[in-house]
Amino acid sequence: MRGRITSGNPGRYRFAHLGPGAALSFPLGALYNEQYMAIGEGTLVGEGVSLAVGWPDEDFGEEIVLRIGRGCSIGRGSHIVAHLRVDIGDDVFFGPYVYVTDQNHGYVALDTPIGRQDAEDKPVTIGDGCWLGVGSVILPGTTLGRNVAVAAGAVVRGSFPDHCLIGGVPARILRRHHDEDGWRADLQAPNL
């Protein structure tokens, strides 16, 4: 079945905010706890995208846990999973199958299955104008500055400045804009 949720139909009332011109395409992936999500004006969410805050029916009070800015495009099959805070700026573009999360499971308790260990939450911030390439993964605690391009398949953790190209596993800065001489390769060590 094809369809969409827009600011012009009753589905919008499930969200904390769904801006004018925003649309979520059907079929969606997982979608729950919409009351803790704010999606900005003109943002388009592709087919098969999962938007999840916490666990189904978890109570976050009055908090906005997942914010997607204005004019964004969330590519088909992407997943955004927020437990603490995921903040995506304006004009951010996701390729297909991007994964963003602010939570990792623990693994140190040897007698407890990893999926049952206490999780660690760290907020994620993606700055205005970023591009996230196909299949990239944004891990807890990541901060991307403005206009950061993330290469396809990159696994990103750490903080990255404005105006850079990052890629690899783990991601590192590949090129960066310098005021004095423009874009150039940057041989920086991985941001761990």
Side-chain angles (χ1 to χ4, degrees):
M1 172 186 243
R2 301 267 188 240
R4 63 186 177 169
I5 298 172
T6 70
S7 61
N9 68 37
R12 75 179 185 269
Y13 296 118
R14 296 181 62 148
F15 291 84
H17 175 75
L18 187 61
L24 286 78
S25 302
F26 277 39
L28 288 167
L31 179 65
Y32 49 86
N33 288 332
E34 301 95 295
Q35 67 270 29
Y36 307 114
M37 298 177 194
I39 299 174
E41 176 182 345
T43 288
L44 302 176
V45 177
E47 293 179 12
V49 170
S50 291
L51 301 175
V53 171
W55 302 104
D57 301 320
E58 190 171 350
D59 185 356
F60 289 89
E62 299 297 316
E63 295 293 318
I64 301 296
V65 180
L66 171 57
R67 187 188 80 77
I68 302 172
R70 295 184 318 269
C72 295
S73 178
I74 309 300
R76 174 182 64 253
S78 293
H79 297 326
I80 304 172
V81 180
H83 292 269
L84 178 64
R85 176 108 175 128
V86 172
D87 192 346
I88 299 168
D90 296 335
D91 300 309
V92 173
F93 288 78
F94 284 41
Y97 308 106
V98 171
Y99 181 69
V100 177
T101 186
D102 64 357
Q103 184 178 82
N104 272 337
H105 288 286
Y107 58 87
V108 296
L110 302 180
D111 295 329
T112 304
I114 291 172
R116 299 203 184 281
Q117 294 190 33
D118 290 337
E120 182 178 16
D121 300 339
K122 293 182 181 177
V124 170
T125 302
I126 298 171
D128 294 345
C130 287
W131 170 264
L132 307 181
V134 174
S136 57
V137 176
I138 310 299
L139 294 173
T142 295
T143 299
L144 300 180
R146 290 184 319 108
N147 293 337
V148 173
V150 178
V155 177
V156 182
R157 183 179 69 180
S159 294
F160 294 88
D162 295 349
H163 310 295
C164 64
L165 165 65
I166 63 177
V169 179
R172 64 182 182 84
I173 296 174
L174 302 174
R175 291 178 59 86
R176 185 173 179 181
H177 187 271
H178 298 269
D179 290 337
E180 61 280 356
D181 59 355
W183 288 93
R184 68 172 193 242
D186 209 352
L187 302 176
Q188 171 182 318
N191 288 18
L192 302 173

